[in-house]
Amino acid sequence: MQNINTFTIMLLCGLLLLNCEATEQNPTLKSSLAITSPTIAVPTLLQRHERIQQGKEWEQVQNHYANFKQKITAGDQEALLNLAQLFTQEARVTGEHGHYYPAALDLLEQILKSKDLSKDLKFRTLSTKAGVQLSQHEFEEALTIGEAAVQLNPYNAQIYGVLTDAYVELGDYEKAVAAADKMVQIRPDLRSYARISYLREIYGDVEGAIEAMKMAVQAGFPGQEEMAWTQLELGHLYARYGQLEQAEQQYQAILVNRPDYPFAIAALGEIAMTRNELQLAENYLKEAMSIIPEVGYYEQLARVYKKTNRTAELNDILKEIEVMLQDDVDSGHNMNLEYAAIYRDLYEDYDKALAYTLTEYQKRPNNIDTNIMLASIYAEKGQMEVAKKHLTQGSITKAQYPELLDLWVTLLSEKAH
């Protein structure tokens, strides 16, 4: 299943739009700030890599930086929220999650400490906070905050996106469907269609998922980052179910409007890996890595090194991955399943992989991803009955994930023997 950041990113785009609509004078793109009081220093805006400055977009961001810096020093709470939302936007554009997400949460807490907070500003602040918590994989906390926000405004589409994502990750799929239906009823747009796509895939309707994601793409605006992300997700759907040419077309289409979009470049690398074109895959992944420090690119390159028996290079990049993961953990990001996948696939240390996954299982025992991960690890350890138990739980929605079906084949063949 896709990482939750996929849908949280689209949610945060919606929250940016929500804030822009609520306050006409606030621009969509915001920036960092300096000081809100003599004792509280706020982190600065990091320089974007030149290949993702996207023409005037980066100039806009910096201009808003100066504007919000001035407003915040004058005690403007709207500017605090705008800045927090910009941080979430820059996190996804630059890959600097460890810098921007904690900074955004700090800013949001500053707003929530205020005693004279308006109902609308509190709602938008809570909604944004829940979105960041989803990105940090703190799903229970996000649900609690999202439920508090919906009590303030039950007529906003994007808060139901928060609830959808949180319910999915906590394994409450019926409530996720209800929240997504509510979201699309209020505002049928890119973000709501994307969630319908996600849920259709979870329930095994692959063609319906592709159809809904196409609708999401059609609802977007070419060249915008959220549109590129949605095309990326459509490509991932195609790729996951073996439609590689269609996936490649989506990735190439993204690069027409955003030529250095690193996620599309890395996705082309994954297509090359699937086709066993390992040198081409390496080239794409290294190019993406040169643009933003996304740990997923490093993991994919490590898989290339493992496939080509380049032990020294594999060991070196694994050390880099460990540093990057620890940085995420230090900044409040729950990385249990990411660690589990690395220990399972790259180190082949199934005991450590199991320990990380069991930690996550304690948090969300009904989530199908967590159960599928447990099933795969127990199968590697030869504990087939336990693997079957978790695979059965991972199959409750009748998802057609290839890795899920492959696991069933493995378990049934073992039983036959």
Side-chain angles (χ1 to χ4, degrees):
M1 189 181 293
Q2 295 104 324
N3 189 291
I4 187 67
N5 287 339
T6 296
F7 299 93
T8 304
I9 281 167
M10 285 185 281
L11 167 70
L12 290 170
C13 288
L15 293 173
L16 284 165
L17 177 61
L18 177 157
N19 201 46
C20 184
E21 290 174 342
T23 310
E24 292 181 359
Q25 65 187 16
N26 289 343
T28 303
L29 291 172
K30 296 93 186 174
S31 184
S32 180
L33 55 107
I35 298 175
T36 57
S37 79
T39 59
I40 302 175
V42 178
T44 58
L45 181 73
L46 300 180
Q47 178 72 16
R48 279 193 192 181
H49 190 285
E50 60 183 8
R51 291 181 63 181
I52 54 172
Q53 291 181 6
Q54 197 64 19
K56 290 187 176 296
E57 183 177 287
W58 177 235
E59 182 180 337
Q60 267 189 308
V61 169
Q62 294 179 93
N63 287 339
H64 290 311
Y65 168 78
N67 182 31
F68 286 113
K69 178 179 178 179
Q70 182 178 11
K71 288 183 176 180
I72 287 167
T73 55
D76 189 324
Q77 291 180 326
E78 285 283 349
L80 276 172
L81 177 57
N82 291 335
L83 179 60
Q85 292 178 334
L86 176 67
F87 279 154
T88 67
Q89 183 173 0
E90 286 298 294
R92 72 172 183 270
V93 171
T94 66
E96 297 287 356
H97 307 144
H99 176 77
Y100 283 120
Y101 286 143
L105 289 173
D106 285 345
L107 294 170
L108 296 168
E109 287 301 322
Q110 290 301 313
I111 300 171
L112 293 172
K113 288 177 181 178
S114 175
K115 295 180 180 179
D116 58 345
L117 201 58
S118 71
K119 181 178 177 180
D120 177 64
L121 181 58
K122 184 176 182 180
F123 165 74
R124 288 181 285 127
T125 302
L126 289 175
S127 299
T128 304
K129 181 179 179 180
V132 177
Q133 288 172 321
L134 286 170
S135 293
Q136 296 280 64
H137 295 184
E138 296 297 344
F139 306 120
E140 289 187 4
E141 291 84 347
L143 179 59
T144 298
I145 296 298
E147 288 174 337
V150 83
Q151 293 299 314
L152 295 171
N153 183 356
Y155 306 107
N156 174 268
Q158 302 313 320
I159 192 58
Y160 290 102
V162 167
L163 298 181
T164 300
D165 294 347
Y167 286 136
V168 163
E169 294 303 323
L170 294 171
D172 197 338
Y173 299 105
E174 290 185 3
K175 286 186 178 179
V177 170
D181 284 346
K182 185 76 172 176
M183 183 182 187
V184 78
Q185 288 169 16
I186 295 173
R187 189 181 181 113
D189 63 1
L190 179 152
R191 292 160 291 278
S192 54
Y193 290 140
R195 283 175 174 81
I196 296 299
S197 172
Y198 189 36
L199 286 164
R200 285 179 178 178
E201 187 193 8
I202 286 173
Y203 277 95
D205 181 5
V206 176
E207 289 305 313
I210 291 172
E211 178 187 1
M213 195 62 77
K214 285 181 178 178
M215 293 173 65
V217 170
Q218 291 166 2
F221 295 95
Q224 291 190 354
E225 198 273 342
E226 66 172 343
M227 170 68 162
W229 194 275
T230 308
Q231 287 179 282
L232 185 79
E233 290 311 306
L234 177 57
H236 287 344
L237 268 174
Y238 281 131
R240 186 170 198 171
Y241 297 98
Q243 301 179 55
L244 298 185
E245 289 185 7
Q246 293 92 325
E248 190 170 17
Q249 288 171 7
Q250 291 299 319
Y251 303 147
Q252 294 289 4
I254 294 169
L255 296 173
V256 170
N257 291 309
R258 296 183 78 95
D260 294 311
Y261 193 64
F263 299 99
I265 295 169
L268 288 171
E270 293 183 28
I271 293 288
M273 283 183 67
T274 303
R275 292 171 172 162
N276 208 36
E277 298 170 348
L278 298 182
Q279 185 57 58
L280 181 59
E282 181 176 345
N283 294 342
Y284 277 128
L285 291 166
K286 284 184 174 178
E287 183 180 0
M289 288 164 58
S290 73
I291 300 172
I292 67 170
E294 182 69 31
V295 68
Y297 307 160
Y298 288 74
E299 292 174 27
Q300 290 299 326
L301 185 57
R303 295 172 198 272
V304 172
Y305 292 153
K306 189 175 178 67
K307 281 189 174 186
T308 52
N309 298 313
R310 293 153 69 180
T311 305
E313 289 162 294
L314 175 60
N315 290 336
D316 287 343
I317 201 168
L318 284 172
K319 291 176 183 176
E320 293 184 73
I321 290 170
E322 289 177 2
V323 170
M324 296 174 78
L325 289 176
Q326 187 60 53
D327 179 63
D328 278 333
V329 170
D330 291 343
S331 66
H333 199 151
N334 173 1
M335 302 295 284
N336 288 328
L337 289 189
E338 287 79 3
Y339 272 113
I342 289 168
Y343 278 109
R344 181 193 63 185
D345 300 337
L346 298 176
Y347 287 107
E348 297 182 23
D349 185 337
Y350 303 120
D351 289 334
K352 282 190 176 180
L354 180 61
Y356 277 107
T357 313
L358 286 174
T359 299
E360 193 63 20
Y361 181 73
Q362 295 300 313
K363 293 174 175 284
R364 43 192 187 127
N366 296 320
N367 175 267
I368 60 177
D369 285 346
T370 306
N371 280 280
I372 293 169
M373 177 66 81
L374 279 174
S376 71
I377 296 168
Y378 280 121
E380 292 288 357
K381 290 169 67 66
Q383 297 176 240
M384 296 304 176
E385 287 303 314
V386 186
K388 182 180 178 182
K389 168 193 165 186
H390 288 289
L391 195 55
T392 300
Q393 180 66 26
S395 303
I396 58 171
T397 62
K398 296 182 170 57
Q400 299 298 302
Y401 307 147
E403 62 271 28
L404 177 63
L405 301 182
D406 288 346
L407 269 172
W408 274 118
V409 170
T410 298
L411 290 181
L412 291 174
S413 63
E414 285 290 332
K415 185 176 181 180
H417 288 102

